[in-house]
Amino acid sequence: MRYFLKYTPYIFRKSRVIQLTFFVTRRCNSKCSFCFYLSQEPEVHEKELSLEEIERFSESMGELLWLLFSGGEVFLRDDIVEIAKVFYRNNRPAILTLPTNALLPELIYERTREIVKSCPESVVVLKLSLDGIGGEHDAIRGVRGNFEKVMETYSLVKELLRYPNFELGVNTVFCSANQDSIMEVLRFVEREMPEIRTHTVSLVRGNPRDTGMKQVDLEKYRETISFLERKLDSRHGSYSFAGSRLKTAQDILQRRLIYETARQNRRLIPCYAGRLNLVVTENGDVYPCEILSEKLGNLRESGYSIPRILESERAKRVIGDIASGKCHCTHECYFVTNILFNPAMYPKLLGEYIKLFRKKKSNGSRE
C-alpha cells in the first residue's frame, strides 16, 4: 500500500513514466504459436543494448512503481542479474517482474536467487508460463518436454519463498488452442503447485505467429475469469505483498474490463500509454506500448535520454493520438495503471476492496 501512496500525485498529473516494460532480448528458446513479438522479425538484427547503455538510459528515469522484463526469454541474457541491479540502484522499482518459459530450471533458479538477494526492497515476481497440461503445453510452446521443465523449475524456485520479497506465480495465455481445456490448467495449478499464490490469465493479443490463436470464444474467457474470482477464497487467489488486497480488487475489475473491451471492440477507459507507461526494446527503440507499431524514438539516437524522446514532436503526436482514443487493446499490464490511476474507477475499486475485506473476515483470515 505504501508504494501506491507514494505515487498518488500521478493520479492527477500523468507527468512521468512509472511503469516500464523492457524487452531485454529478442532471443528465445521457445516457438510459441501465440507470440506477437517474435512473429515480426526486424529486417536488421541490431545489437542488444549493452549493460553500459542500459545504465545510461535508466539514469534518465526516476523511481519506478513497476519494472517488467520481457522478450524473448529474459534469462537468456547472461547479464540479467546485473541489469536488475542497475535498475534497482537507479530506479528502485517497487515491483520487478520476470516472466519465463521455464526451459532452463537451474539457471533460472540461480539468477532469480541473485536478483532477489540483490534487490531486497523490491518485490521480485517470477512468472512461470503454463498454457496446458503435458503435451498440450509442449505443442502450444513448440518445444517437446517444456511442461516437464516448468514443473522442474517450480520445484527449484519455490525454495526462494523463504525470502520475504519473492513472489511466485503462473501465467496462462488464453488462446484458441487451450480455451476448451483452460479450466484443467487452473485446477492443476491449484492442486499440484500449492506454493503458487497467483495465477493470471492473459488474453492473446497483437499479431501472433499463428493468427488462428486469436479466434477465441469470449464467453469461455468470461467463464475463466469468473472461476478466478471464485478462487479468491483460497491462497491461490491473492498476492502476498503489502497492499495485496488493493491489487486483487484491481485484478477483478481488470478482467471484467478486458472482457468487455474485447466484446465491444472499443476502448472503455482512458489509456496512459506514453505518459505513465513505456516500452523499450532490446535495440533501444522506445514505444508507448508493445502493440502499437509507431515508435517514439531510439535511445541510441537521443543520447540515452527518455525525457528527450518524450519531449519530441513525434512523441507528443503519438501520445496525443492515444489520449484521444484512436486505439484500444486488452493488454493486462497497462490496465493496472489505467485503473489504479483513474479516479473515475475508484468507486468500483473500493466496492471490490470492501467485498474482499468482508470475504476474508468471514473466512477468519488474519491478512
Side-chain angles (χ1 to χ4, degrees):
M1 178 66 75
R2 71 179 187 275
Y3 294 127
F4 179 66
L5 292 175
K6 182 177 181 179
Y7 290 92
T8 51
Y10 301 100
I11 294 172
F12 304 103
R13 51 182 180 86
K14 315 297 190 289
S15 57
R16 185 175 70 79
V17 174
I18 60 174
Q19 176 181 314
L20 174 68
T21 301
F22 181 24
F23 285 77
V24 296
T25 184
R26 187 173 285 269
R27 289 173 285 151
C28 195
N29 45 2
S30 283
K31 299 178 182 178
C32 303
S33 52
F34 52 70
C35 182
F36 66 86
Y37 192 60
L38 301 184
S39 64
Q40 299 177 347
E41 294 290 343
E43 294 181 4
V44 178
H45 293 266
E46 297 183 64
K47 185 179 178 181
E48 295 173 348
L49 290 170
S50 67
L51 188 63
E52 180 183 359
E53 290 177 304
I54 293 169
E55 176 93 51
R56 291 180 65 183
F57 96 76
S58 72
E59 287 176 343
S60 76
M61 306 178 71
E63 293 189 358
L64 292 169
L65 174 63
W66 187 11
L67 171 63
L68 172 66
F69 289 150
S70 190
E73 168 56 37
V74 301
F75 288 98
L76 287 180
R77 278 208 63 151
D78 292 335
D79 56 355
I80 189 65
V81 174
E82 296 307 314
I83 292 173
K85 289 180 180 179
V86 164
F87 280 104
Y88 184 74
R89 181 170 61 251
N90 293 333
N91 313 107
R92 281 294 191 273
I95 301 172
L96 194 167
T97 300
L98 299 158
T100 179
N101 57 31
L103 283 171
L104 302 167
E106 292 185 2
L107 184 146
I108 292 168
Y109 168 75
E110 293 170 0
R111 292 182 175 172
T112 301
R113 180 184 60 188
E114 289 306 307
I115 292 172
V116 170
K117 292 168 62 177
S118 301
C119 308
E121 297 300 318
S122 295
V123 177
V124 178
V125 183
L126 184 69
K127 280 285 188 177
L128 308 179
S129 297
L130 184 62
D131 304 307
I133 307 302
E136 181 182 60
H137 178 73
D138 295 354
I140 293 173
R141 290 270 160 175
V143 178
R144 183 177 298 178
N146 197 341
F147 175 78
E148 294 177 359
K149 291 294 185 181
V150 172
M151 298 311 295
E152 183 181 346
T153 301
Y154 166 73
S155 296
L156 288 174
V157 299
K158 65 182 181 181
E159 182 269 337
L160 298 177
L161 290 167
R162 61 191 173 90
Y163 293 98
N165 65 319
F166 179 65
E167 181 91 23
L168 181 58
V170 162
N171 185 73
T172 299
V173 176
F174 186 98
C175 59
S176 62
N178 64 6
Q179 62 183 353
D180 293 324
S181 57
I182 197 164
M183 290 300 184
E184 297 175 20
V185 180
L186 298 178
R187 294 189 178 99
F188 175 87
V189 171
E190 189 168 22
R191 183 179 68 251
E192 303 296 336
M193 305 172 78
E195 300 303 325
I196 297 296
R197 285 300 301 267
T198 55
H199 189 165
T200 52
V201 173
S202 301
L203 185 61
V204 61
R205 62 181 182 270
N207 298 308
R209 276 188 172 127
D210 181 353
T211 56
M213 290 293 105
K214 295 191 73 174
Q215 302 303 311
V216 299
D217 184 336
L218 286 176
E219 288 311 300
K220 291 179 180 178
Y221 175 76
R222 184 185 59 79
E223 292 170 4
T224 301
I225 63 175
S226 295
F227 179 83
L228 289 172
E229 285 189 29
R230 293 195 296 272
K231 282 178 64 177
L232 292 175
D233 288 333
S234 74
R235 70 188 304 273
H236 274 259
S238 59
Y239 303 88
S240 60
F241 52 79
S244 61
R245 197 176 295 134
L246 176 65
K247 181 64 176 73
T248 303
Q250 179 268 317
D251 282 349
I252 293 172
L253 292 183
Q254 169 185 299
R255 294 171 188 139
R256 294 173 186 170
L257 278 168
I258 287 172
Y259 166 72
E260 285 297 332
T261 298
R263 189 181 69 84
Q264 298 183 37
N265 194 33
R266 65 185 182 92
R267 188 192 296 178
L268 300 178
I269 61 174
C271 179
Y272 305 133
R275 291 184 285 169
L276 294 181
N277 315 301
L278 210 60
V279 168
V280 173
T281 67
E282 73 286 340
N283 65 0
D285 285 339
V286 179
Y287 293 86
C289 78
E290 60 188 34
I291 301 298
L292 295 180
S293 59
E294 187 170 7
K295 66 182 180 182
L296 306 180
N298 181 275
L299 289 168
R300 287 170 172 150
E301 298 169 0
S302 62
Y304 302 94
S305 172
I306 292 292
R308 186 175 301 166
I309 289 175
L310 294 179
E311 290 167 3
S312 70
E313 291 304 314
R314 180 199 296 181
K316 291 177 181 178
R317 175 179 55 79
V318 174
I319 295 171
D321 287 344
I322 295 170
S324 65
K326 291 187 177 181
C327 58
H328 72 276
C329 73
T330 61
H331 185 14
E332 285 80 5
C333 295
Y334 276 28
F335 268 81
V336 175
T337 45
N338 291 347
I339 291 172
L340 291 180
F341 291 86
N342 181 354
M345 296 300 300
Y346 289 175
K348 291 182 179 180
L349 189 63
L350 178 61
E352 296 301 331
Y353 184 91
I354 292 172
K355 288 178 185 177
L356 288 169
F357 179 81
R358 290 173 176 170
K359 186 176 293 187
K360 294 291 185 182
K361 188 175 181 180
S362 65
N363 291 336
S365 170
R366 294 182 180 181
E367 183 187 359

